[in-house]
Amino acid sequence: MAWFEGSATDYKDLLAQLKEYATNDNVQSVASIDAGGTGFAIGDLVSVSGGTSTTTSVLEVVAVSAGVVTEIRVFHGGAYSVLPSTTQTGLTSAGGGAGLNVTLTTQAAGWIARVDRSVFRPITVAVNAGGTGYAATDVVTLDDGGAVELRPTLITVDAVSGGVATTISLAQLGIYESIPGTTGVVTSHAIGSGLTVDLTWNEEEELILEGSGSGADEIFVGIRTFSNLFGSTYFNWELAGMQGFNTGQWSGQPSMSRGRYDDDANIGGCFVPLRNVSFNYWMSITSNRIMVFALVGTNVASCFLGFIDPTSTPGLSAGLFPYPLLVAGCTTDPFNVATESTLTSFSGFHDPVAIGAISGSGFRSEYSCCQLNSPGNAWLDFRNSVTGIATDGGVSRFEVSDRTIFPLGGETVLVSGDDVWPTNPQVVAREDFVTQTLSAPSQSLIPTPGASGDEYLLVPLTMTSFFAPEFIAGQIPDAYWLNATGAIADNGSIVNAGGDRYRVFQSGRYSGSSQWLAVLEG
């Protein structure tokens, strides 16, 4: 896998960078240090030489002995159309290090862009000329003005005076590949005529990627940006998974995961709240999955797109997962604000929280920001907890045990009993170490000291279903829960376990020690 660390100027730039790294070859890891050089210091950044790139790979010095590099890692995998030589000699750093020789491993581009386009959506509408013959509640259609129309704009006449439209609003946000017009755009209606409108427009991005997986796989995922510049401003991503691909518009893709920000009838989607200013990010990309972490204020927005590592579970109709695609974000609320500090619905993909309680179903929301394509090719919601009610500001969080991600979600009887770790419950209870109340756990798993630093206990993220069909879906690849007690300083920090390095991140707005995630570095 390749890692990428840097900053994005805004939510659209982050998507552009993700596309660049996913669709180009990268430097994956440092296979060996062949000569440690002289004059290096911990934290020095070293640029890889050669190749043809839009972004050059950068290495980071992790450990030195009297200025000689003893450990180094890939800080940024770069984006190459022609890869550099895997044998790098005479590398230098800005701090005066010189003479470093390393052998690299590289990674071929794992994804291709099936759709990569800018689209334009109206964000305000007002009467330019009121026309004649209109009635309140009339719905008119915007003339596309010759622009390539992906979806029409519908406008509601809210108020009239003597048949003249005086107040209007957007009933459906259209999508176009160019702007139809900004002033005097004619609309039509069966009875009324002559209404023209003034519009303002916003440019957004749509990206649909196909992953190669093991080589025979066809993995289809999508990201599109959307925003609001008025009132409660947000600048967010909508995520989607598909079971195929066609050249039509976004919502017409085959068997898409549920949830559209612009369709009130298609709710319960997977969204990532981001920002319209610069922020730091980390990405981990392989040919079958993409993980993104973005530091937005004090929150970490995260998402997962791609295949999990599935199990072959007895009792399933085919015994195997035909298409184990996971789409997971931070929230089902498309209009959530990235810097929100109170909503428990701003979660991490490894600990999904659903919004509100559905009447008559207890504290179990119908939808989650974490959707897995099931063995029966349906989209199943996984949630570890829900907020008390949709209007309580998310201050109350309640655990659920229908479909969860262990260990932050309750474990099902499919493994070892009701809501316990796979040990005798009188010895270890899961709720001692991870909590759903957002309070500190009663017990803390202390890292084990080792020659190379603290060794952390890592627990694989396992997706289990307590609903029919009951099954253990599998594990989220390269991702683990850990207790962040010890030497963890910040998001993106490195911990060691079993001789491997992992980067660690908090869960959404939760920074308590019991909710952290560790992702294998390579």
Side-chain angles (χ1 to χ4, degrees):
M1 71 194 70
W3 273 89
F4 310 89
E5 181 174 345
S7 64
T9 57
D10 59 24
Y11 68 119
K12 290 190 283 189
D13 181 48
L14 182 67
L15 183 58
Q17 293 193 49
L18 186 156
K19 184 200 75 172
E20 178 186 4
Y21 307 143
T23 59
N24 282 278
D25 299 337
N26 324 110
V27 173
Q28 181 175 0
S29 62
V30 178
S32 64
I33 298 173
D34 304 318
T38 58
F40 288 94
I42 293 175
D44 278 354
L45 298 179
V46 179
S47 295
V48 171
S49 63
T52 303
S53 66
T54 53
T55 302
T56 301
S57 177
V58 177
L59 313 179
E60 182 183 23
V61 176
V62 176
V64 298
S65 176
V68 178
V69 176
T70 58
E71 188 176 357
I72 193 168
R73 68 184 181 102
V74 175
F75 177 85
H76 195 292
Y80 291 86
S81 57
V82 178
L83 281 165
S85 170
T86 56
T87 301
Q88 295 280 309
T89 59
L91 298 180
T92 62
S93 71
L100 174 64
N101 300 342
V102 297
T103 298
L104 306 174
T105 58
T106 57
Q107 173 179 281
W111 300 79
I112 58 175
R114 289 296 194 184
V115 169
D116 178 20
R117 64 189 172 202
S118 295
V119 294
F120 297 87
R121 302 184 180 102
I123 52 177
T124 66
V125 64
V127 173
N128 178 278
T132 59
Y134 291 98
T137 73
D138 280 350
V139 176
V140 297
T141 303
L142 180 69
D143 189 320
D144 61 24
V148 176
E149 180 182 279
L150 301 176
R151 187 176 67 181
T153 296
L154 302 182
I155 298 169
T156 300
V157 177
D158 296 314
V160 299
S161 175
V164 178
T166 58
T167 306
I168 58 178
S169 61
L170 292 165
Q172 174 177 283
L173 301 181
I175 305 175
Y176 307 85
E177 291 192 5
S178 58
I179 297 176
T182 57
T183 304
V185 178
V186 177
T187 63
S188 59
H189 187 261
I191 299 176
S193 63
L195 172 63
T196 62
V197 300
D198 292 327
L199 296 147
T200 59
W201 297 85
N202 195 28
E203 182 179 1
E204 300 289 359
E205 307 298 326
E206 292 185 354
L207 178 67
I208 296 178
L209 295 170
E210 179 183 348
S212 59
S214 63
D217 297 321
E218 292 182 331
I219 308 168
F220 296 100
V221 300
I223 303 171
R224 65 172 177 169
T225 67
F226 64 101
S227 62
N228 182 50
L229 305 177
F230 304 93
S232 177
T233 56
Y234 51 81
F235 308 94
N236 298 347
W237 281 6
E238 176 183 305
L239 311 177
M242 309 106 182
Q243 295 179 19
F245 170 76
N246 62 45
T247 57
Q249 62 170 294
W250 179 269
S251 59
Q253 297 303 313
S255 302
M256 287 185 74
S257 55
R258 186 188 54 257
R260 311 285 174 267
Y261 84 89
D262 52 1
D263 184 353
D264 291 339
N266 195 332
I267 60 176
C270 303
F271 302 98
V272 183
L274 293 167
R275 304 183 74 177
N276 200 34
V277 295
S278 179
F279 54 85
N280 294 331
Y281 70 81
W282 301 261
M283 300 180 192
S284 175
I285 300 176
T286 71
S287 62
N288 66 350
R289 57 104 183 124
I290 295 169
M291 296 188 208
V292 179
F293 304 90
L295 184 60
V296 287
T298 59
N299 299 328
V300 172
S302 64
C303 65
F304 182 102
L305 294 163
F307 279 2
I308 66 168
D309 292 333
T311 59
S312 176
T313 304
L316 297 183
S317 58
L320 293 170
F321 244 119
Y323 191 62
L325 180 61
L326 173 63
V327 178
C330 300
T331 179
T332 56
D333 181 359
F335 314 122
N336 207 355
V337 178
T339 54
E340 177 61 63
S341 60
T342 58
L343 284 176
T344 57
S345 57
F346 196 112
S347 56
F349 71 75
H350 64 296
D351 183 31
V353 177
I355 299 174
I358 303 302
S359 177
S361 63
F363 291 111
R364 185 185 68 78
S365 173
E366 184 177 358
Y367 302 121
S368 169
C369 58
C370 178
Q371 298 180 42
L372 179 69
N373 193 65
S374 76
N377 287 323
W379 290 97
L380 302 180
D381 292 280
F382 281 73
R383 60 188 74 73
N384 288 348
S385 56
V386 299
T387 58
I389 56 175
T391 59
D392 71 352
V395 296
S396 301
R397 176 172 165 163
F398 295 86
E399 188 170 10
V400 296
S401 58
D402 48 8
R403 299 187 191 100
T404 66
I405 301 177
F406 176 79
L408 287 171
E411 190 175 355
T412 74
V413 296
L414 294 171
V415 179
S416 64
D418 184 17
D419 194 28
V420 296
W421 281 33
T423 62
N424 186 324
Q426 294 179 342
V427 177
V428 176
R430 181 188 63 84
E431 56 267 26
D432 289 340
F433 297 90
V434 295
T435 67
Q436 293 292 325
T437 61
L438 307 185
S439 60
S442 62
Q443 305 293 331
S444 186
L445 299 177
I446 302 299
T448 301
S452 61
D454 290 338
E455 292 280 336
Y456 286 80
L457 173 65
L458 304 181
V459 180
L461 299 178
T462 305
M463 305 187 73
T464 59
S465 175
F466 194 49
F467 279 176
E470 295 182 354
F471 64 100
I472 301 174
Q475 296 177 355
I476 298 179
D478 308 315
Y480 304 83
W481 171 86
L482 85 164
N483 189 300
T485 299
I488 294 175
D490 205 351
N491 289 288
S493 295
I494 298 174
V495 300
N496 298 300
D500 292 319
R501 283 192 300 266
Y502 297 80
R503 301 196 195 193
V504 296
F505 304 94
Q506 71 186 60
S507 177
R509 63 168 289 264
Y510 311 124
S511 58
S513 64
S514 69
Q515 257 117 3
W516 283 61
L517 170 73
V519 182
L520 182 66
E521 187 170 85

